[in-house]
């Protein structure tokens, strides 16, 4: 008698297949980006993506060079030839806005990456190790927390005739990593006593593997939030330094546009010279804040549950701003004797 080695109801191909299940792998990969699935994060990511595409394709988007002059159109308001008007030298404001996006994004990304790396190394190490090593790293973090960032950047930048973008980004990163490290240290101290970390330590796993494999995946949302916050601070710091004239005005960005507008008396009459740059700073900062709000909603269970309830009520047509009516119910099924009746939109 021949005994089949294949499972009942399955074909030979199905019984011998050793291929990994694709949906499971895709699902696990998608869970890493679950923090960006809510509406706030998606809107912020779309806005940031638009700015990034603008910076990458600036030569094709801008109708003129950023320093190209048209002496027949000095301080002209927006028109068909110059969409956002011109400066006192006839330079196209729209082209300067487009090219200035590059400087803002480069400084923001470099400062964000450097500050996040330092925050992860110092914060996770300070939270995992114990004794004097943890206290030393915590003391170092506290020192950098109280260092005034803007005055230090001004002092460092004033020592160079033409400080590079990388130098400015590095100084911003040095003064901006401590907040993220502080939060990561607290969260790591909570994780180091979890069962899965204790099991990995009992199995003799090396320190770097425990941190990289067991802890960092659980810190992804906090690391992303720290990165976004550092980028926001870097962009605001860059535009502030450019506006007050500390960094070279040849490094075109939104702050230098405001600097030249202020130096040449554009406020308040020539609104097209300064208003678009200020609006771009506000929109970009709002986009980063929306991403951060979405991450906070994902990290905080209370905010996440509140957001889920709000979305469920919107789908049912219920109003979130109108009041609710408390109805007294005398039945024994309600312990507190009260029931809440939600109101629907008219």
């Amino acid at each position: 008698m021949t005994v089949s080695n294949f499972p009942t109801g399955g074909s030979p191909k199905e019984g011998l297949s050793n291929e990994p299940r694709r949906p499971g792998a895709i699902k696990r990969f998608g869970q890493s980006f679950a923090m960006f699935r809510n509406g706030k994060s998606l809107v912020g990511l779309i806005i940031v993506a638009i700015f990034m595409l603008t910076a990458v394709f600036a030569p094709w988007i801008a109708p003129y060079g950023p320093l190209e002059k048209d002496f027949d159109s000095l301080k002209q308001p927006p028109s068909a030839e110059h969409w956002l008007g011109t400066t006192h030298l006839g330079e196209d404001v729209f082209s300067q806005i487009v090219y200035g996006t590059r400087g803002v994004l480069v400084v923001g990304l470099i400062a964000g990456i450097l500050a996040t790396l330092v925050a992860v190394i110092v914060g996770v190490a300070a939270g995992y190790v114990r004794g004097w090593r943890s206290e030393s790293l915590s003391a170092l973090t506290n020192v950098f927390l109280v260092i005034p960032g803007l005055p230090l950047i001004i002092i460092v930048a004033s020592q160079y005739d033409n400080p590079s973008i990388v130098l400015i980004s590095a100084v911003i990163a040095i003064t901006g990593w401590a907040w993220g490290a502080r939060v990561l240290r607290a969260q790591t101290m909570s994780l180091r006593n979890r069962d899965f970390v204790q099991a990995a330590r009992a199995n003799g796993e090396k320190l770097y593997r425990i941190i990289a494999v067991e802890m960092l995946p659980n810190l992804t949302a906090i690391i992303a939030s720290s990165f976004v916050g550092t980028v926001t601070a870097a962009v605001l710091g860059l535009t502030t330094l450019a506006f007050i004239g500390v960094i070279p005005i040849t490094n075109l960005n939104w702050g230098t546009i405001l600097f030249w507008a202020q130096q040449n008396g554009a406020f308040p009459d020539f609104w097209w010279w300064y208003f678009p740059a200020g609006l771009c700073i506000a929109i970009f900062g709002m986009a980063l804040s929306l991403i951060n709000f979405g991450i906070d909603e994902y990290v905080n269970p209370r905010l996440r549950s509140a957001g889920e309830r709000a979305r469920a009520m919107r789908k049912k047509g219920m109003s979130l701003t109108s009041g609710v009516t408390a109805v007294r119910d005398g039945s024994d099924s309600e312990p507190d004797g009260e029931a809440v009746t939600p109101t629907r939109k008219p």
Side-chain angles (χ1 to χ4, degrees), residues 7-302:
T8 305
S11 63
K13 185 177 180 180
E14 292 175 351
L16 295 176
S17 176
N18 293 324
E19 294 182 359
R21 295 182 179 181
R22 296 294 181 182
I26 295 175
K27 184 178 180 179
R28 289 194 299 269
F29 179 77
Q31 289 175 351
S32 301
F33 298 92
M35 70 189 79
F36 301 120
R37 291 178 182 174
N38 56 68
K40 299 184 184 69
S41 294
L42 287 177
V43 173
L45 288 173
I46 291 173
I47 296 175
V48 171
I50 293 174
F51 279 112
M52 294 183 68
L53 292 175
T54 301
V56 172
F57 298 102
W60 292 273
I61 296 176
Y64 304 95
L67 301 179
E68 185 177 344
K69 298 174 177 58
D70 183 5
F71 294 105
D72 295 330
S73 301
L74 304 181
K75 290 186 178 180
Q76 294 298 312
S79 61
E81 295 183 356
H82 303 282
W83 296 347
L84 293 180
T86 60
T87 67
H88 67 299
L89 296 177
E91 299 163 337
D92 186 67
V93 175
F94 176 74
S95 300
Q96 291 189 345
I97 293 289
V98 171
Y99 277 94
T101 307
R102 288 182 168 182
V104 172
L105 292 182
V106 168
V107 171
L109 288 176
I110 294 177
I113 292 173
L114 292 177
T116 303
L117 285 176
V118 177
V120 169
I121 294 173
V122 176
V124 175
Y128 184 80
V129 300
R130 304 172 187 268
W132 66 270
R133 293 175 295 180
S134 176
E135 296 300 328
S136 300
L137 292 174
S138 179
L140 178 65
T141 304
N142 293 334
V143 169
F144 277 89
L145 277 175
V146 298
I147 292 179
L150 190 61
L152 179 62
I153 297 173
I154 293 175
I155 293 173
V156 174
S158 62
Q159 303 301 314
Y160 298 87
D161 295 332
N162 188 18
S164 64
I165 292 294
V166 177
L167 176 62
I168 297 172
S169 304
V171 176
I172 294 176
I174 290 174
T175 59
W177 63 268
W179 287 105
R182 191 72 174 173
V183 177
L184 285 170
R185 176 180 180 269
Q187 188 66 20
T188 305
M189 291 177 67
S190 174
L191 288 175
R192 72 184 181 187
N193 295 322
R194 301 286 180 86
D195 293 339
F196 60 90
V197 176
Q198 296 290 346
R201 188 184 297 112
N203 289 334
E205 298 289 350
K206 295 183 178 180
L207 176 60
Y208 73 89
R209 190 184 183 283
I210 294 176
I211 293 177
V213 178
E214 303 294 342
M215 287 189 166
L216 286 184
N218 294 283
L219 299 172
T220 304
I222 297 177
I223 294 173
S225 178
S226 176
F227 173 78
V228 173
T230 305
V231 173
T232 305
V235 171
L236 295 178
L238 172 69
T239 53
T240 301
L241 294 173
F243 178 70
I244 63 179
V246 174
I247 65 175
I249 54 180
T250 55
N251 294 332
L252 186 62
N253 57 70
W254 299 333
T256 56
I257 297 174
L258 295 176
F259 170 82
W260 283 115
Q262 189 268 339
Q263 289 293 314
N264 292 277
F267 299 93
D269 297 329
F270 306 103
W271 60 267
W272 59 85
W273 194 348
Y274 59 85
F275 181 77
L279 183 62
C280 286
I281 296 172
I283 293 176
F284 191 72
M286 180 194 69
L288 295 175
S289 298
L290 287 175
I291 296 174
N292 224 343
F293 292 157
I295 296 174
D296 289 341
E297 183 177 318
Y298 174 80
V299 174
N300 192 326
R302 293 184 178 179

Side-chain angles (χ1 to χ4, degrees), residues 315-333:
K315 289 181 180 179
K316 295 179 180 179
M318 296 180 180
S319 176
L320 301 178
T321 57
S322 58
V324 295
T325 304
V327 179
R328 180 70 62 178
D329 189 357
S331 62
D332 296 333
S333 59

